[in-house]
Amino acid sequence: MSLQVEDLKIYYQTLRGDVKALDGVTFSIRDGEIMGLAGESGCGKTTLGYGLIHLTPPKKYMGGCVRLDGEELPIWDNDRMNPFRYKRVSIIPQYAMSAMNPTRKIGKMASELLSAKGVVFETILPELLRRLDLVDLSSDVLNMYPIELSGGMKQRMVMVLSTLLNPSLLVADEITSALDVSTQQAVAEMLVEFRDRDFVKSMVVVTHDISILYQIADSILVMYAGKLAEKASTGTIINSPRHPYTKLLISSLPKVGVRYAEQKLKGIPGNPPMLLNPPVGCRFRDRCPFAFKKCIEEPPFIEVEPGHFVACWKELD
Amino acid sequence: MLKIENISKIYHTGTFGGKELHAVSDVSFDIHEGEVVSLIGESGSGKSTIGRMILRLINKTSGKITVDGVDTSVISGSELKNYYRKVQGVFQDPFSSFNPIFKADRVFENVREGFFPEVNSAEWSQKIHLAVESVGLNPEQVLNKFPHQLSGGQLQRLLIARALLLDIQLLVADEIISMLDASTRIDVLNLLADLKSRGLSILFITHDLSLGYYISDKSVILYRGSIVEMGATEKIYNNPQHPYTKMLMCCVPRLDKKWEQVEIDLQGKQTEGTIGCLFYDRCPIARQERGCAGDRPPLIEIEPDHFVACSHCWENDKVGKPVEPRIQEKTQ
């Protein structure tokens, strides 16, 4: 077991009270597994991703336990997390465009980054050049400013920098969202290649684009309003989802081959609930076409089949 | 109703505007009444530039855009105002289209001040209610709110409602879906399709091919400012001919099929001012001896309503056997 998360709660502190963005989340990721994290905006995907790495106010740790390779991560203590960050856990942030320092040449920035972690730049330079070559970037980029690179190039550069010290866990937050289809495919396949080459042991890929996850992820975790809705292997989630939310989410995706004139797709009516005062019971209840009396109680996240977890009362009967 | 003939746009870049950037070169297509045309291309392919030129937000360098036979570049004053009654645009980021310090319905008030000063308040608010309802929103929920109190999908639909107030004939929809969630984007897309069936023409600018396929009648594929393939949507998607279109089709993430292991050449020396085929340096079937580096290939009709700008497809078609482009298998 590479990463185990148990009952993790992270709230946002606001003047009107705590926003329960992540409310009791339990899952685990095996070594070498790429886990996709899917859901609408505002359902806690990014909070979970960042929570594992950099928990700063207004985010507030409210309980739970995170273990990486058997060792507990002190995610509530920013200073104690420092030795873990970048070496054991790392992140590719959402906006690669703004992730790099615009006033430094990329090579200089990399060397500063490494020296802050006690690594001498020269010793790692050959490996850096080898990896740049792997993602189709020439070594000239080290002498360039970030502004000279295109969006896709920046994204690949940030990928290389984030994984340079072979972290055990990598969180990739919406890294393909701002890219064109061709670049998107290249970046997504590079993630798989990084895993295959053991640059990173396991990965959490946060995205709202399920079709990308189908291409690269081993398992998919669907979140809704700060809770887990369903977790299973990629094929199971796409082909035989059990949670109503997952079903609706997948059926609302337009695909090549579906036309409005022939088959009208439907969205999910309604909006996710406000997490300042989340409703009791199943949080999807108001939008769920199958909701019944029992849904007023909170459904447990249980294993209905080996490796297939669902939080829905319908699946318990 | 909209006719675009050989339009080009050259941006001047560099310190004293010394360098030229050909954002759009020699693009022609037309949109009929009640037709949805999708403009597909990567970033930097000039798709937004075309939309902006139609809306007259930027001037074109050469060419001609006519709407119902009227050249749009010469009109001004009240004629231009009339033009905006017919043609409106909605843009990518709904959050930056609204002024955050004013309530969201101020966009409607602006329309009234500009176009309908004679309408009285009661009549106007009824008109707003109708427009808001016609985009599938509940007026009580969305009116009198600040932009941050509404979701992206709601704001985007309010902007469409604003355009509808003007009784428009053409809507330029520039990446209006990309910022929305999967669950709301289909609602906005269905709304566009509904409007289309009521006779509105839509120019749907997108980089997402599956969205383009869902609603459009005609597709135009752009690469670095030029049309590489154009025609009826089914023909383009089911029988892509240009190597670039084929590559795009391979890259679309699908739920029913895994990506094929194809090598994508991302590097492609983006040489400025190449005279030959613009796709030459990334093309898997390009050969110098076949003349790919020589002349810019013209747009050729290979079957009814299907145009391709690739001299090879054309050559091969002449001898009667279209060949598959050589796609390099990954050697690992």
Side-chain angles (χ1 to χ4, degrees):
Chain A
M1 284 294 178
S2 173
L3 177 80
Q4 282 171 290
V5 176
E6 263 169 57
D7 200 30
L8 183 65
K9 284 184 183 158
I10 297 173
Y11 293 175
Y12 282 89
Q13 201 166 8
T14 68
L15 287 175
R16 287 180 289 170
D18 288 344
V19 174
K20 301 171 184 65
L22 203 63
D23 210 1
V25 165
T26 305
F27 64 91
S28 59
I29 306 178
R30 279 177 284 112
D31 271 344
E33 181 176 336
I34 298 184
M35 188 189 80
L37 196 56
E40 285 170 270
S41 13
C43 67
K45 309 187 293 284
T46 304
T47 311
L48 175 57
Y50 271 86
L52 296 176
I53 286 165
H54 193 208
L55 199 80
T56 44
K59 282 202 274 297
K60 201 164 64 165
Y61 170 82
M62 296 299 290
C65 160
V66 179
R67 283 172 183 282
L68 185 68
D69 302 326
E71 195 177 347
E72 185 160 358
L73 285 182
I75 60 164
W76 59 89
D77 189 335
N78 216 355
D79 294 336
R80 277 177 61 200
M81 269 302 279
N82 260 337
F84 289 94
R85 248 175 249 142
Y86 198 31
K87 289 182 177 166
R88 301 280 302 280
V89 293
S90 187
I91 190 165
I92 309 177
Q94 182 163 8
Y95 301 104
M97 330 286 155
S98 49
M100 285 191 277
N101 188 341
T103 65
R104 292 273 190 284
K105 284 184 177 162
I106 290 170
K108 175 111 164 84
M109 191 193 72
S111 95
E112 285 174 355
L113 188 65
L114 288 163
S115 67
K117 292 286 166 192
V119 181
V120 181
F121 181 60
E122 278 69 30
T123 57
I124 211 145
L125 187 61
E127 179 66 17
L128 175 60
L129 293 177
R130 207 168 65 80
R131 293 194 185 179
L132 284 180
D133 190 45
L134 195 71
V135 298
D136 265 346
L137 288 172
S138 76
S139 56
D140 299 341
V141 292
L142 294 178
N143 282 320
M144 289 184 186
Y145 288 98
I147 196 170
E148 295 174 70
L149 271 56
S150 73
M153 286 165 87
K154 276 185 215 162
Q155 190 73 71
R156 282 177 276 156
M157 189 65 225
V158 173
M159 274 171 70
V160 169
L161 285 179
S162 302
T163 54
L164 202 53
L165 297 182
N166 294 353
S168 180
L169 171 75
L170 178 73
V171 177
D173 187 9
E174 298 273 14
I175 60 164
T176 55
S177 310
L179 305 175
D180 291 317
V181 272
S182 50
T183 333
Q184 205 173 46
Q185 173 175 11
V187 165
E189 282 180 342
M190 275 162 204
L191 280 182
V192 180
E193 187 152 350
F194 274 29
R195 192 263 319 258
D196 293 346
R197 289 179 184 249
D198 276 337
F199 294 170
V200 270
K201 258 199 227 151
S202 44
M203 244 185 252
V204 177
V205 180
V206 179
T207 180
H208 63 267
D209 192 344
I210 295 190
S211 41
I212 286 276
L213 291 181
Y214 179 64
Q215 306 294 334
I216 62 165
D218 301 311
S219 62
I220 297 182
L221 177 64
V222 181
M223 286 188 68
Y224 183 75
K227 295 260 182 201
L228 302 184
E230 189 165 6
K231 184 184 185 213
S233 67
T234 304
T236 318
I237 288 273
I238 304 292
N239 300 321
S240 50
R242 307 270 293 253
H243 196 284
Y245 177 63
T246 321
K247 284 181 192 163
L248 287 170
L249 199 62
I250 287 169
S251 67
S252 71
L253 293 176
K255 324 179 212 334
V256 171
V258 176
R259 303 205 63 180
Y260 176 77
E262 292 149 18
Q263 185 191 349
K264 197 171 165 178
L265 298 172
K266 280 206 183 76
I268 308 176
N271 290 311
M274 299 298 280
L275 294 177
L276 201 57
N277 286 308
V280 280
C282 176
R283 292 186 176 179
F284 189 55
R285 196 179 56 208
D286 294 342
R287 298 169 79 187
C288 181
F290 311 106
F292 64 122
K293 247 193 304 182
K294 185 99 181 189
C295 296
I296 203 97
E297 291 166 46
E298 189 170 324
F301 191 60
I302 50 139
E303 195 162 10
V304 286
E305 269 168 44
H308 191 166
F309 298 83
V310 185
C312 180
W313 286 116
K314 280 276 180 203
E315 294 304 324
L316 283 177
D317 303 335
Chain B
M1 65 159 293
L2 173 85
K3 204 168 168 65
I4 294 178
E5 288 166 84
N6 310 89
I7 54 163
S8 302
K9 174 74 191 172
I10 299 171
Y11 287 111
H12 291 279
T13 56
T15 324
F16 295 105
K19 285 186 199 160
E20 287 190 343
L21 180 80
H22 294 255
V24 175
S25 40
D26 203 15
V27 167
S28 319
F29 62 93
D30 42 15
I31 304 178
H32 301 291
E33 242 152 75
E35 194 178 46
V36 180
V37 175
S38 58
L39 212 53
I40 300 167
E42 304 182 4
S43 25
S45 60
K47 42 190 203 310
S48 291
T49 306
I50 292 178
R52 281 159 186 272
M53 283 193 281
I54 294 171
L55 290 168
R56 281 210 33 181
L57 296 174
I58 49 176
N59 290 323
K60 58 191 186 309
T61 310
S62 65
K64 199 174 174 189
I65 302 175
T66 52
V67 172
D68 292 334
V70 182
D71 188 347
T72 61
S73 57
V74 294
I75 54 175
S76 62
S78 65
E79 273 180 329
L80 183 61
K81 205 167 187 180
N82 266 331
Y83 176 65
Y84 282 132
R85 273 182 210 267
K86 284 195 287 194
V87 181
Q88 281 287 331
V90 178
F91 298 95
Q92 180 166 13
D93 185 355
F95 297 98
S96 62
S97 299
F98 285 89
N99 189 335
I101 60 169
F102 291 109
K103 284 185 176 157
D105 22 351
R106 185 167 176 268
V107 292
F108 298 124
E109 209 47 49
N110 289 347
V111 171
R112 183 184 170 193
E113 280 164 21
F115 292 94
F116 304 97
E118 72 287 352
V119 180
N120 67 41
S121 295
E123 206 178 320
W124 183 248
S125 77
Q126 199 185 0
K127 223 175 152 181
I128 290 178
H129 272 72
L130 278 177
V132 170
E133 272 165 17
S134 71
V135 294
L137 291 173
N138 182 353
E140 267 149 42
Q141 274 176 8
V142 294
L143 295 179
N144 218 12
K145 290 243 168 92
F146 284 99
H148 69 264
Q149 293 173 301
L150 301 168
S151 73
Q154 284 173 325
L155 291 176
Q156 205 63 291
R157 276 180 277 179
L158 279 183
L159 288 173
I160 298 173
R162 174 195 159 274
L164 292 180
L165 278 176
L166 289 164
D167 197 22
I168 50 165
Q169 292 161 19
L170 174 70
L171 182 72
V172 177
D174 189 354
E175 296 268 19
I176 64 168
I177 316 272
S178 352
M179 298 273 289
L180 305 181
D181 260 321
S183 57
T184 36
R185 64 167 59 172
I186 200 71
D187 291 332
V188 176
L189 212 52
N190 282 338
L191 168 66
L192 286 187
D194 272 349
L195 295 174
K196 175 210 158 190
S197 57
R198 286 190 237 155
L200 182 70
S201 314
I202 298 169
L203 179 67
F204 187 71
I205 300 174
T206 183
H207 66 264
D208 190 326
L209 287 107
S210 45
L211 298 180
Y213 187 78
Y214 185 61
I215 63 165
S216 64
D217 304 304
K218 198 165 119 180
S219 299
V220 178
I221 315 266
L222 288 170
Y223 181 71
R224 288 174 63 190
S226 293
I227 297 180
V228 294
E229 194 158 358
M230 173 171 90
T233 301
E234 285 108 349
K235 285 181 182 156
I236 301 254
Y237 280 75
N238 298 333
N239 183 21
Q241 286 299 321
H242 197 281
Y244 177 64
T245 321
K246 287 188 180 177
M247 189 203 80
L248 276 185
M249 296 293 165
C250 288
C251 292
V252 179
R254 304 175 66 147
L255 280 180
D256 49 348
K257 213 167 83 184
K258 295 258 180 180
W259 276 327
E260 285 159 31
Q261 293 279 302
V262 283
E263 194 82 48
I264 300 162
D265 186 6
L266 284 176
Q267 281 214 302
K269 307 167 285 300
Q270 298 267 324
T271 34
E272 280 303 320
T274 357
I275 37 166
C277 176
L278 286 169
F279 193 53
Y280 178 66
D281 41 14
R282 283 172 72 183
C283 182
I285 60 167
R287 296 281 180 286
Q288 198 160 8
E289 61 271 19
R290 280 171 168 175
C292 284
D295 296 320
R296 184 77 53 88
L299 213 54
I300 295 153
E301 187 162 18
I302 56 156
E303 57 177 318
D305 208 11
H306 188 172
F307 300 81
V308 181
C310 177
S311 36
H312 289 309
C313 308
W314 179 55
E315 269 170 25
N316 294 325
D317 209 56
K318 256 203 323 198
V319 283
K321 50 162 200 193
V323 284
E324 287 292 307
R326 186 175 52 87
I327 290 170
Q328 294 167 336
E329 290 283 328
K330 252 191 189 166
T331 48
Q332 270 177 9

